[in-house]
Amino acid sequence: MRLSLFDLHCDTAHRMLSENQPLRSNSFAVSLENAEKFEVYTQIMALWPHNCLCDEEAQRQVFSMLENLKNDPSVLQEEARITKRFDELTSIPNLFLSIEDARILAGNVDGVDRLYSLGVRFLTPLWKGHTCIGGAHDTEEGLTPFGKAALHRAAELGMILDISHASERSANEIFAIGAAHSRPVIASHSNAFEVCLVSRNLKREQIAAIVSCGGLIGLNLHAPFIGCGAHVKIQDLLPHIEYFLEVGAQNALALGCDMDGGDLPSDLPDLAALPKLAELLLQHGYSEGLVRKIFFENASEFAKKYLN
Ligand SMILES: [Zn+2]
């Protein structure tokens, strides 16, 4: 069976800028060449600034990253397309934009409008530590007053808020902001905490909250978030999938592979190898319908409802 793919997270834009390689053909896990395996390919491209930069430098790096992506030969030649709405999706690869680590706003709420006007439709507010936005997964802190104002503005504009990387308190506050604007909240690249006990993974209540608001959960292929031990394989993702389904996430589950930002399982080196996960699911008795939902349909239905 030929699959379509809608992946909620990769850090390829960062590497394209820092290593000066194009999207079509490169040494990364994500490339248009590797995406040729898929019938339709939609990718949320995260614009993530390096954590060693101060907020202002990080902002400049993100704008350079976006400029670099917009001027990539494949985008200029319309072999891939930066898109903002579901009804703009085409048979050529579609790239949605997200910001990962909204500290780049550096205390300026108007920056949210600027990001929106540049085409950003997904916002992962936190990454690590305590920022002008609030506390990330490695803290106990919630959102700052500025963080709340910025996220309210983002939701009002129609951006999708993402709890991946948030602390529990920040995540609860993000859910409340989404609800206040009748917008769903996603976790673009996180697995199940009960299966792999790391703070980047989702607690049962968080999974239930995403399911009930109509959000999405992207399965993360970063090996340390799948399992402990040195030899994580793709089949170690199965208990996560089983757990998410048990909590009722069959219409929320998607992929948020985190390629080019994480360490992939040894038997799944790049995007072209991803159909192996589909084969594995079929071998373990999951239906073709469910596999298609996880790979593409849940995220595409979501985009149809909330990005139009
Ligand atoms: Zn991340």
Side-chain angles (χ1 to χ4, degrees):
M1 80 181 187
R2 189 150 189 246
L3 288 162
S4 290
L5 174 66
F6 194 136
D7 178 32
L8 307 186
H9 192 86
C10 75
D11 288 305
T12 312
H14 184 103
R15 294 194 60 185
M16 285 168 65
L17 178 70
S18 60
E19 296 170 52
N20 193 24
Q21 293 194 49
L23 188 57
R24 165 140 291 284
S25 177
N26 54 44
S27 62
F28 311 146
V30 172
S31 67
L32 295 182
E33 263 176 16
N34 286 342
E36 279 168 8
K37 288 261 172 188
F38 303 99
E39 195 169 332
V40 177
Y41 170 56
T42 300
Q43 177 71 58
I44 301 182
M45 296 290 256
L47 307 174
W48 171 76
H50 201 281
N51 54 313
C52 70
L53 302 174
C54 75
D55 294 353
E56 288 75 15
E57 287 166 344
Q59 184 187 83
R60 280 195 290 279
Q61 190 183 48
V62 160
F63 289 137
S64 306
M65 213 174 289
L66 178 56
E67 231 9 65
N68 184 56
L69 188 63
K70 285 183 169 169
N71 288 302
D72 184 79
S74 66
V75 173
L76 293 176
Q77 290 157 25
E78 296 189 357
E79 291 169 5
R81 192 157 182 266
I82 296 173
T83 186
K84 301 186 268 305
R85 295 157 56 102
F86 175 81
D87 60 12
E88 289 173 350
L89 296 185
T90 55
S91 55
I92 61 167
N94 299 286
L95 314 172
F96 278 106
L97 301 176
S98 78
I99 296 291
E100 183 174 30
D101 206 356
R103 69 185 177 93
I104 65 156
L105 292 168
N108 174 19
V109 176
D110 294 341
V112 179
D113 290 68
R114 182 172 178 201
L115 293 175
Y116 186 84
S117 71
L118 288 169
V120 174
R121 291 295 178 269
F122 293 85
L123 195 61
T124 310
L126 297 155
W127 191 71
K128 196 177 182 191
H130 190 88
T131 71
C132 64
I133 300 288
H137 64 100
D138 52 341
T139 77
E140 310 265 291
E141 310 292 318
L143 299 175
T144 62
F146 168 72
K148 286 183 185 168
L151 299 194
H152 271 291
R153 181 60 186 150
E156 192 173 66
L157 288 168
M159 284 189 192
I160 305 296
L161 303 180
D162 181 2
I163 63 161
S164 284
H165 287 273
S167 69
E168 272 188 78
R169 238 180 99 188
S170 293
N172 288 338
E173 290 168 347
I174 294 169
F175 281 124
I177 293 170
H181 297 271
S182 305
R183 302 290 286 170
V185 166
I186 67 169
S188 64
H189 56 307
S190 295
N191 293 331
F193 181 79
E194 291 290 328
V195 180
C196 178
L197 306 176
V198 295
S199 60
R200 275 281 288 100
N201 284 343
L202 302 170
K203 303 276 172 63
R204 194 180 185 95
E205 313 77 69
Q206 296 177 319
I207 301 166
I210 290 174
V211 168
S212 75
C213 72
L216 291 172
I217 296 164
L219 291 160
N220 193 327
L221 300 185
H222 179 48
F225 299 167
I226 297 177
C228 25
H231 301 291
V232 172
K233 292 258 167 71
I234 190 59
Q235 72 167 29
D236 297 319
L237 201 60
L238 292 178
H240 290 275
I241 295 173
E242 197 49 41
Y243 186 84
F244 283 126
L245 293 175
E246 192 192 300
V247 187
Q250 65 276 0
N251 296 321
L253 204 53
L255 293 168
C257 298
D258 209 356
M259 288 188 183
D260 297 319
D263 302 321
L264 296 169
S266 53
D267 52 348
L268 205 154
D270 58 27
L271 202 66
L274 206 50
K276 270 194 195 174
L277 173 62
E279 284 159 31
L280 189 72
L281 287 167
L282 293 173
Q283 279 163 18
H284 281 78
Y286 294 96
S287 70
E288 185 181 323
L290 180 69
V291 172
R292 291 191 185 280
K293 276 184 177 207
I294 294 173
F295 270 71
F296 185 76
E297 285 168 11
N298 284 341
S300 136
E301 281 299 309
F302 177 93
K304 191 182 197 172
K305 267 195 216 152
Y306 299 109
L307 292 166
N308 253 331

